[in-house]
Amino acid sequence: MSPITVPIGPQHPALKEPLLFKLEISGELIVGADLRIGYVHRGIERLCEKRSYVQNVHLFERVCGICSHVHTTTFCQAVEWLLGIELPRRAAYIRTLLCELERIHSHLLWLGVLAESIGFTTIFMYAWRDREIILDLMEELSGGRVSHAVNIIGGVRVDVDAEQLQMIQRHLDEFEGQMGIFLDLFERDRSFRLRTQGRGTLDYETACSLGIVGPTARASGVDVDMRRDAPYAAYPELDFRVVTAAAGDLWCRAHVRAQEVVESLRLCKAIIKELPDGSLRARAPRRVPEGEVVTRCEAPRGELVYYVLSDGSERPARVKVRTPTLPALLALQYLLPGRQRHRG
């Protein structure tokens, strides 16, 4: 039987963003897969060349609605390096707090979508219920659930007073109690394990060759985390565990994210306990000296890279963004062949 081509997307109920999969099917077996992306290209890198560095902070916050804060963190970090600015410690801690809250809500969103996709509505509802606690907390701190506008070049625009610290502690304690129930269900559910263990296995060598990053890579034994390996903001002063696994299957990818939520919760508690006094921002001139820089941060999905080239004006000559999602999408072309169309 000769293979037939089955298109899925770019608009499909199972896809959260427009993607086009062209699957080569022989009977019920996937024998080949091709992926087409770029349906939501907005030209952000080109747009930033027409705007000032200050205006671009708000532009890059709109690259991703799930991890908007880490994008501005990475961009501001690059510009601060070109300016030779040292970030105030209090500002660094507040930046880091929002980064970790963002990581928690991103991981819970991922776990919920996974559970719903394979038919476990209970885990989906628990994950998204607990995620609401974090979103409410981020809204209390910044005024926004999606775009937080916390970062500015040279520091942050929001402070945290004693009353807010108590509020954060209450929210985190509530979240910790809810997560205990969720993790117990997640770890012990036999059906969830059966539908994820041994599925979509990405081995260590393939993960390295494709440049896979973040929890997906760490689930395959790639022990890399920018918070530890290229520390920024307040991470050099904080102690945390980089969670890894070895099997590289869907279960390990879910397990790594669940355990990273626990680590991020612990980091948030440490940040509010050790939050230093001091200023929120350093003075930053509008005109940036000539030069170029590559800077990296650990976004919820992995290593986020920004390249910034300055020609000495108030506008960047070039900005290049490399998000962690790109190599993860490319890996699907290697993971899908050999799978059954209806099973696994």
Side-chain angles (χ1 to χ4, degrees):
M1 178 187 299
S2 60
I4 61 172
T5 300
V6 178
I8 300 178
Q11 303 294 337
H12 190 276
L15 299 175
K16 305 306 174 186
E17 293 186 8
L19 301 170
L20 174 60
F21 293 94
K22 291 184 178 180
L23 304 181
E24 297 292 325
I25 306 294
S26 179
E28 296 296 324
L29 187 69
I30 300 174
V31 296
D34 185 39
L35 175 66
R36 182 178 175 186
I37 60 177
Y39 287 92
V40 290
H41 179 67
R42 292 170 288 170
I44 284 180
E45 292 179 0
R46 177 60 176 167
L47 287 172
C48 78
E49 298 173 14
K50 303 299 181 181
R51 290 162 171 78
S52 70
Y53 288 96
V54 174
Q55 293 170 326
N56 282 331
V57 175
H58 304 284
L59 179 64
F60 285 115
E61 192 166 37
R62 283 145 183 83
V63 172
C64 177
I66 301 172
C67 50
S68 59
H69 176 74
V70 76
H71 275 273
T72 58
T73 296
T74 315
F75 176 70
C76 288
Q77 183 173 289
V79 179
E80 288 157 5
W81 188 90
L82 288 170
L83 289 169
I85 291 177
E86 183 177 352
L87 188 66
R89 288 185 69 233
R90 187 174 181 86
Y93 270 72
I94 293 174
R95 270 190 190 178
T96 305
L97 174 63
L98 267 294
C99 281
E100 291 307 310
L101 290 173
E102 193 170 69
R103 190 179 319 279
I104 293 172
H105 111 73
S106 177
H107 284 357
L108 289 179
L109 183 147
W110 188 97
L111 289 166
V113 170
L114 168 65
E116 178 69 11
S117 297
I118 60 178
F120 287 93
T121 306
T122 300
I123 293 180
F124 162 73
M125 295 298 289
Y126 272 50
W128 279 44
R129 177 202 64 181
D130 298 342
R131 175 173 164 265
E132 281 298 313
I133 299 173
I134 302 301
L135 287 174
D136 290 343
L137 178 54
M138 297 174 79
E139 185 177 14
E140 287 285 341
L141 290 174
S142 68
R145 286 166 58 92
V146 178
S147 296
H148 310 292
V150 167
N151 285 320
I152 58 175
I153 296 172
V156 294
R157 69 167 184 86
V158 299
D159 200 1
V160 184
D161 58 29
E163 184 178 343
Q164 287 177 312
L165 288 175
Q166 293 178 0
M167 177 269 296
I168 295 172
Q169 185 66 58
R170 289 195 304 270
H171 275 75
L172 293 180
D173 289 341
E174 177 189 2
F175 177 77
E176 187 173 23
Q178 300 281 36
M179 275 301 296
I181 301 171
F182 170 75
L183 289 174
D184 183 61
L185 172 65
F186 172 81
E187 298 281 353
R188 294 193 303 110
D189 192 288
R190 178 175 175 271
S191 296
F192 186 78
R193 281 181 174 267
L194 287 173
R195 294 195 180 187
T196 55
Q197 284 186 326
R199 309 289 184 175
T201 301
L202 181 69
D203 60 66
Y204 176 88
E205 290 75 16
T206 303
C208 291
S209 65
L210 293 176
I212 306 297
V213 292
T216 302
R218 290 191 285 274
S220 299
V222 182
D223 188 8
V224 175
D225 191 310
M226 292 301 106
R227 296 173 296 171
R228 179 198 63 195
D229 302 330
Y232 54 94
Y235 288 112
E237 303 179 28
L238 298 171
D239 181 38
F240 61 95
R241 177 174 65 98
V242 176
V243 182
T244 61
D249 58 8
L250 187 53
W251 162 253
C252 284
R253 292 196 281 276
H255 175 75
V256 165
R257 283 176 170 85
Q259 292 304 311
E260 284 191 0
V261 168
V262 176
E263 282 298 305
S264 291
L265 174 61
R266 193 175 63 80
L267 273 172
C268 290
K269 288 189 170 185
I271 289 169
I272 63 173
K273 181 179 179 181
E274 302 169 13
L275 185 65
D277 295 326
S279 63
L280 295 178
R281 60 184 66 86
R283 183 175 176 82
R286 296 179 65 88
R287 190 176 294 274
V288 177
E290 289 187 27
E292 60 181 346
V293 62
V294 174
T295 187
R296 302 175 293 173
C297 288
E298 186 69 24
R301 297 184 186 91
E303 178 187 357
L304 173 63
V305 180
Y306 268 65
Y307 166 77
V308 178
L309 173 65
S310 171
D311 58 6
S313 69
E314 296 183 6
R315 300 175 181 177
R318 181 74 171 93
V319 177
K320 173 64 179 175
V321 183
R322 195 269 201 177
T323 65
T325 305
L326 180 61
L329 285 174
L330 299 180
L332 290 172
Q333 297 177 91
Y334 296 85
L335 295 176
L336 289 172
R339 308 301 303 173
Q340 292 285 346
R341 187 171 55 161
H342 295 299
R343 296 190 297 110

